[in-house]
Each structure stands twice: as C-alpha cells, then as structure tokens.
Amino acid sequence: MRTETPQAIYLKDYTPPPFLIDTVDLDVAIFDENTRVRSRMGLRRNPAAADPQASLCLDGEDLVLESVALDGRILAAGEYVLCGGRLLLRVELPEAFMLETVSLIEPDKNTQLSGFYRSKDGYFTQCEAEGFRRITWFLDRPDVMAKYTVTLHADKAKFPVLLSNGNPVASGSEGVGRHWAKWVDPFRKPSYLFAMVAAKLDVLREDYQTRSGRTVHCAVFVEPGKLDQCAHAMAALKKSMKWDEVVFGLEMDLDHYMIVAVGDFNMGAMENKGLNIFNTKCVLASPDTATDSDFQHIDRVVAHEYFHNWTGDRVTCRDWFQLSLKEGLTVFRDQQFGMDMHSAGVTRIQDVRTLRAAQFPEDAGPMAHPIRPASYAEINNFYSATVYEKGAEVIRMIHTLIGKSAFRAGMDLYFKRHDGHAVTCEDFVSAMADASGVDLTQFKRWYNQAGTPRLVARGEYDAAARRFTLSFTQQYPATAYERRLEAEGRKFSRGAYHLPVVLGLIGPDGAELPLRLAGEDKAVGTQRVLELREDEQTFVFEDVAVQPVPSLLRGFSAPVILDYPYAEAELTHLMAHDTDAFSRWEAGQRLATQILLRGIEAFQTGKGEALGWIPASYVEAIRTLLASAADPESDPALIAEALTLPSEVVLAEAVSGVVDPDAIHGAREALIGHLAAQLKGELLMTYQALKLSAPYSPDAAQVGARALRNTCLDYLAGSATVEALALLKAQLDEADNMTDSVAALAALANLDVPERQAALDAFLERWKHEALVVDKWLNVQALSSAADTGSRVRSLLDHPAFDIRNPNKVYALVRAFCRGNPRHFHAADGSGYALAADVILLLDSANPQVASRIARSFDAWRRFDAARQSLARTQLLRIQAKTDLSRDVGEVIGRALEA
Ligand code: TRP
Ligand code: ZN
C-alpha cells in the first residue's frame, strides 16, 4: 500500500536542457496491429547547459525500441540503456549529431488518450503535457523547440485523411491500398504542440483573408455525416481571427488552420500549431442537438485555442510551472472576446460564477496552489481552475491596474522580446511593467501565494464633514499549500497583495456621486480604481453630500472575498441602481446568500420549513425584477442571471464551520418554492410573454429570452403541481430546439412523477444516435434533486448508453453527480462516496487523467460532519490501497488524506 503522495518535482530545480533538438523528421507507419515510428533528430549540445559533458537521456513511455543509430551507425546493445521510461546513451557524443530511433507503439491499446490513440473514426494525438514521449523518444519538455517534418502512412480506404502540423508538401499512393502524406511545419515548436491525425472524416473548408491580405485555408474535420454541425465552429474561428487582429494586432501566421473533432478526448480542446484537436462537444452544434450554452461554449473554446497560436505557440512556457503564462493569459483573452461578442455583463457574471464554483473551493481545499505552483507530482493535475481561471483574473488585474492601452503596449513588448521563445511568468510581468512604467514587483505575489484573499472593507459617513471614509484590511491566511511547504521545511513568505478595487458611490436617489479623494482639488469621475498594496489602507472621499452606498469591486476587479456589512436595504438599492451590471447581479447574490445562510441555520434547528427567515422585502425585490422584464429596454439575460440563486456548491463555501448538505439543499429549495408560490402569476406571465415564434438562432436576443423563460419554468416546476407538469410536458412536446427540450427535461427529472420516466425514455429513444445528446440525458439524471438520484446514477453506470471509457460520458454522469449534486454525493449513507471510489478504481489504470478529475470530488471531505468524514476516509483509503495507483490519482488522494 502507498502511504504518501507521489514524489514531487520542484520549480527551484529547473535547469536548462543539456541538449537542443533543432529538427525532427518523423516517419509514422500505421498498421492494424501497431504503428512504427522512425524519428531522425538533429541534436546539439546546449551552450547554456549547466554541465557541458552531460549525457543524453531521452524520455519515452510505452515504446518498444527497435533500434538506435548515431550519425548513421546502429548502436550496439551496450551503447545505450533503457531504464524507468528513459533511453540513456552511453557513447561519446559530438557537439552536433543526428540520432535515429525506430520504435513500435500500440495506439489501439492506448486508453489513456495521451500520445497516439485510436478513436471511432481513426487515430489522433494528444501531446500536452507529456504525451509526445508516448509516440517517440524525445527531450519532452517545452523549452526544447524544433522544426518538424512528418510523413504518415496508412490504409487509404480506412484512413483517407492524413494530417499533421503546418503545410502539406507531398502525398501519394503506395503498396496495396495504402497512401502517404508529408507535412512540414515552418515554425519551431515544443513537442507538446505536435499533432497528427489519420482518420476517415468529412471536412468543411472556408478561406479567411487576413488584414495584411494573406489567405488562410480554414478547415473543420468531423465524423462522417456531421458536416451540418460545423458551421458554428467555422464562424467562431473566423470571428476569433478578426478579433485578435483588431484588439491585439495579431494575425494568423500559417496558410492552413485545421480543427479536428474527436469523440474521445480528456479535455475541451488542444492548441497544436495549425492543427487543433477538439472534443466533439466543443465543435459540433445544430439547433436540434446543442443548447444556447453549447453554442456559446464553442465560441469560447474555438477562440481560446485560436488565441493560443500567439499566447502559447509563438511564445511558449519554459517549463510546466509556467503553465499559467499561456493558460491564464489565453483564458483572459477568450473572456474579453466573449464580452465583446455577447453581452459583456452576462459574460462577466458567468465567468465569475465559474470561478466561484470551481476555483474558490480549490483554493480552500487540499489541492490549493498558486497560479504558479512550486512543485507537483503529476502535471496533469495542475490544469486546474486556479491556473486557468484565477490565472485569467490575475491578468485582468494587470489590465485594470495599468489600463487598456498600456496593456496593449505590454503585449506588443512581450512579443517583441520573446517571440519564438519559451519563457516564464516573470518575463510576462516584466513586459507589462516596462511598457506601463508601473512597478509590479509586489504584484508577483499573486504568482506565489495560494488562497482566496479576504478583503474586509468598512465605510463610515460623517454627515457634518460630508466625508465618506473607506478602510480596507487584507486577510490571507496560509492554505494547505503553505502548510505543506512548511512541513517540508521550505522557506516562504506571505504578504499583502497589490490589487485594484474599482468602485463608485451611489446616492439615496440612485445617482452616482462624484469622487474626490482627500488631497485632490476636484472630483475625478464617478468611478475610480483604488490600488491596494498594504495590509490596511484607508481612503477618504470629500464633498459627499449624502450617505452613499459603496459599490465595491465593480466587474469583480479582484479575485477576493469581499466582507462588507451591507444592510439588506443597501443591497436592494444596489440591485436597482448600480450602473455596473456585474455589481447589480452581485448585490442580488449577496442578498440571497445572507438570507439563505439564515435559512440553512433554520433548517439545522428544524425551523426551516416555517420560512420565517425569508423577508417579505426580498420577495418584493424579486417581483420588481420580474416586472422589469416587461420593459423593452431590459436585458432578459441579465434578469435570468439575477433570478438564479447561488448554487449549493457556492453556498457551501459561504457557510462557516461544518457543511450540512441537506440543510443547504432544504433552504435553497424552500426559497425557490416560496418565490414560486408568491410570484406564480408574474412567473407565468413572463414565461408566456417570452415565447418566441421566429426560427431558432443562437443570437443574443433569443438566447436571453430563452434563458429567462426557462428560469421562470424552473421556478414554476419547483412547485410540482399539475399545472407545472402540464407546462413541462407542453414544452417538451413543442420545443424546436435543444435548449428548450433539455430545460424542460431537466426540470422534469427533478420530480418524482410517472411522467419523468416516460419523458426520459422518449428522449433517449429519439437521440440515442447522437452521442452528445445522450450525454445530456445522462447529465440531467446526474443533477436531479429527486430522492432516488444516487441509486439511479449507480444503475446508469451499467446502462448501454453509458461508456466508462469515454471521458464525455464519465463527465456527464459521474463528475456531474459528484461535483454538481452535493446533496446526493454527500448522502449520509456514504453511497455517493462509494460510487465515486468505484469509478476511480475502475478508471485509474485505463485513464488516470479522468480518474484523477473524479478523485477531486473528495477535496472538501474535511468540511463535513464526523460521520460523513469517516465514510469518505474509508473510500479514500480504499483507493489509496490499490496496487500501482497512478501518480495522478495518488497525488490527489494523498493530499486529501493529509488534509
Ligand atoms: N492546453 C489545452 C487548452 O487549454 C488543454 C489541455 C491540456 C489538454 N492538457 C490536455 C487537452 C490534455 C486535452 C488533453 O486549451
Ligand atoms: Zn488553453
């Protein structure tokens, strides 16, 4: 049995590679039983190496080595050794030389989906982070950048499409029914950006003119028969290309840009140079099969991968500790794109919702890490909400602190200095500091300290002096991350963050007040960016004629938990008058959270059902909100967001002390039920008024209308009345798009009524041939609040529609249940924990990356009562006892148990 977390790798141990690889020539011959990979590499000693005599040790995993040749001479058995996934050369090496290896791999047996693997329609690759070593021997680290030439050989009828990065330069037929194609990538790149595909696929082709007049041939490759589901991804690609030209002055640099969709994929998509590989979920969409949020998600993922071409591919990471250099920055870029393409307010709200639901809990749990961790056991575990989402918030803070035009200048300088290189997060921050003249030394703490800071703010109004004093205190207690560093005897320091607080002051009439800070001779606007750098800071506003309500952290200007003692009336005031859409929404969430926290306590003491904790004023605030939908100026999408209560996961974060999932669920459901009962007429009216007659389009106006309509439906369904059931059934029958169908199905799946099973059966029957729709069918059942959800999810594991080898299926059913349905996952009898452990154990060897993502469901186990903790620990120990437990799951479970 393992007793501890697997061996860690440390940032402080980084050394430059002993050798550089300038060129790679791959010849890949695909056969039914295996694939032969011949690689010819041009190597030379790295002048920057620490040891000029170092020996050459190449990475390799699951490779059967056939031969090694040095400058054309086949090496004898004693001239190299294979050990622990490495190939070590034991011969004298010249300054520069050619090394040729021939190896066999078995892509049909590669269930990990890392390296070269088989999926339904052919063969695909996934090399980030360390998959290239599963294809051939290499210095598989991002600071080794080479030019690649690739020749693929395969059966022509079975695999007519042969692709790799860059440009196609030659192709032909050979042997009996076979063919080949040769690709050359003109850009140097790290091995993690390598890709190749040999498959039977349909393709949608369109050209894009860059602003300098070059033509880029764009192509979207998909499963045969699915061409009618590609148009949206293609349009998103072109919009992204245009946006990056306009906003950042960045043009596409290749003649070919290909997107290939594959149904078996561990994550969303991958930015391989010129040959992105995508999860089908992030490409395929038609009104029948995809929801509004799928359409928007596709826009964002296509943009994200496209933006990586500059932030990731042209300038890449020196080592994997710098992952946020490309991911945080690229998420920031796709967020900005989303805000420009859709409603800025709604986009920001949704992005913050994601951050709070995934990243805040991560930062509060056993896997806490800064956006640049100091160590890791398995890098795949650090493709995390922290590196991505908090990483994007950190970039956003730089943008806010130095301003838009300085940020653009910083980006220009970053590319000027580092184009074609593998660099660090410091390099990025330095470019921003140098271009703006702003000192960002202290700001770098965001890269080294873990945990969500708490910002305690207090306001005091002195009517006689017409003065409003705002004081801030930063709190940043050590997290599991710092406790571990300490236990390892490593030195670390913690200190106050440099962060922007964007604020305004709202008067009693709802108007914004002019802002003059003490020492200034006149007011400067009605919105300011305050810079915090110290543990405690005070700002004094002069000439404040009336007691204001401060609107703090507009646009969520910093990823902190704000502690300000707002009275409920002040929150209602902000909900109605704040000029910042995010802050209006935030005030509503804060108000709902305050009420729900009282409700949770009431449920714990058996007084919940009496509803004494729900103030009548809250019902009136929601009534006003609903009524505003009738105003043609209003944005229904924003109203829908405002009507959506904080999720059970987010509420659990807000609770201090032991988390009671039943009380959280009880309070939230009770509030929904009460609102539905009190506002039934308004909800029904809004629902009916928003019925669309135009044909489906995923445009902002329709999306907003459907979002609000389905939010109303959700409230109405909470009452489970005959009337509500009729509404659900009617919507299921009449819907001409997946958004409305799945909204009704999800609402029905919560109810313990005979109609539920009939609707689920009919839905599956209709969509059983569309894998992504079957995922939705699994998903609504996993997220159901009905009492029997645990046992139903357990039996769905054996349903023919489920496939444990397909990550999308596992995420749709198991991850959704474990991470999106806390009441059932944390069932008092431990059945949820047992289910998760069973799946983790089944998947650990076959696909450790996916197993590890499910294992993260245990992160919060210490926050529950003793009985639940004991049940969870039993399952954690059971997982840890598995022989040959993967490093991926070992690290996650080890840390959970240390907590
Ligand atoms: N770099 C990819 C992105 O953010 C994601 C990625 C990392 C990935 N590792 C992966 C995708 C493994 C699939 C499998 O866009
Ligand atoms: Zn990315």
Side-chain angles (χ1 to χ4, degrees), residues 113 126-129 192 265-271 277 301 304-305 308 323 326-327 380 383 388 849 853:
L113 312 183
Q126 172 53 42
C127 291
E128 189 175 6
Y192 82 86
F265 203 70
N266 284 344
M267 307 250 274
M270 181 63 213
E271 71 263 25
I277 300 187
V301 180
H304 180 96
E305 305 312 329
H308 266 315
L323 185 56
K326 73 176 178 81
E327 295 305 346
N380 283 314
Y383 286 79
Y388 276 64
Q849 283 185 41
R853 285 179 187 272

Side-chain angles (χ1 to χ4, degrees), residues 373-665:
S375 73
Y376 60 77
E378 171 50 62
I379 185 56
N380 283 314
N381 286 331
F382 290 83
Y383 286 79
S384 62
T386 297
V387 165
Y388 276 64
E389 267 73 39
K390 186 176 181 180
E393 295 302 323
V394 169
I395 304 295
R396 179 175 301 281
M397 285 189 284
I398 297 179
H399 187 263
T400 307
L401 286 168
I402 72 178
K404 191 175 160 181
S405 62
F407 188 87
R408 170 61 200 272
M411 289 291 280
D412 292 348
L413 185 59
Y414 174 64
F415 292 119
K416 189 165 159 228
R417 285 180 179 170
H418 305 298
D419 188 12
H421 292 96
V423 305
T424 64
C425 298
E426 263 93 18
D427 292 322
F428 179 81
V429 178
S430 297
M432 288 293 161
D434 294 348
S436 64
V438 176
D439 182 355
L440 295 175
T441 316
Q442 182 186 351
F443 185 83
K444 288 189 209 158
R445 284 195 176 129
W446 285 106
Y447 286 86
N448 299 319
Q449 299 180 177
T452 309
R454 179 175 283 271
L455 187 59
V456 181
R458 293 291 180 267
E460 209 181 305
Y461 182 62
D462 179 340
R466 295 161 51 97
R467 183 175 289 152
F468 186 68
T469 306
L470 200 51
S471 65
F472 293 96
T473 307
Q474 293 192 35
Q475 295 174 351
Y476 37 89
T479 68
Y481 173 80
E482 285 83 10
R483 288 197 293 275
R484 203 171 46 251
L485 289 187
E486 196 158 46
E488 289 172 359
R490 316 242 336 264
K491 275 205 285 294
F492 66 91
S493 65
R494 286 173 73 67
Y497 292 94
H498 181 190
L499 63 92
V501 176
V502 178
L503 94 171
L505 298 179
I506 315 269
D509 59 351
E512 292 197 288
L513 306 177
L515 302 178
R516 178 164 83 84
L517 281 167
E520 295 174 343
D521 40 278
K522 59 175 189 346
V524 187
T526 53
Q527 175 170 297
R528 303 277 296 249
V529 183
L530 303 181
E531 281 191 45
L532 301 192
R533 295 175 185 263
E534 282 149 44
D535 287 325
E536 291 184 20
Q537 257 167 290
T538 299
F539 296 85
V540 178
F541 293 93
E542 305 284 4
D543 297 336
V544 183
V546 282
Q547 164 121 35
V549 181
S551 163
L552 302 170
L553 282 180
R554 282 182 167 173
F556 203 55
S557 60
V560 300
I561 295 166
L562 174 68
D563 170 341
Y564 187 87
Y566 283 113
E568 285 178 7
E570 292 180 307
L571 291 173
T572 322
H573 193 63
L574 290 177
M575 271 173 87
H577 301 293
D578 204 314
T579 50
D580 183 80
F582 170 83
S583 293
R584 284 199 305 278
W585 172 80
E586 178 76 335
Q589 296 293 300
R590 214 170 254 283
L591 180 54
T593 305
Q594 290 182 8
I595 293 166
L596 283 163
L597 287 175
R598 288 203 303 270
I600 292 164
E601 267 188 54
F603 268 85
Q604 285 176 303
T605 50
K607 294 183 218 121
E609 306 285 358
L611 305 183
W613 48 276
I614 307 177
S617 57
Y618 182 69
V619 179
E620 291 321 304
I622 300 297
R623 196 187 306 275
T624 310
L625 192 65
L626 265 173
S628 73
D631 176 354
E633 296 287 284
S634 71
D635 180 350
L638 279 173
I639 299 173
E641 293 296 344
L643 284 172
T644 306
L645 298 177
S647 69
E648 292 178 22
V649 173
V650 166
L651 287 170
E653 284 303 300
V655 167
S656 51
V658 175
V659 174
D660 179 341
D662 296 315
I664 293 176
H665 180 76

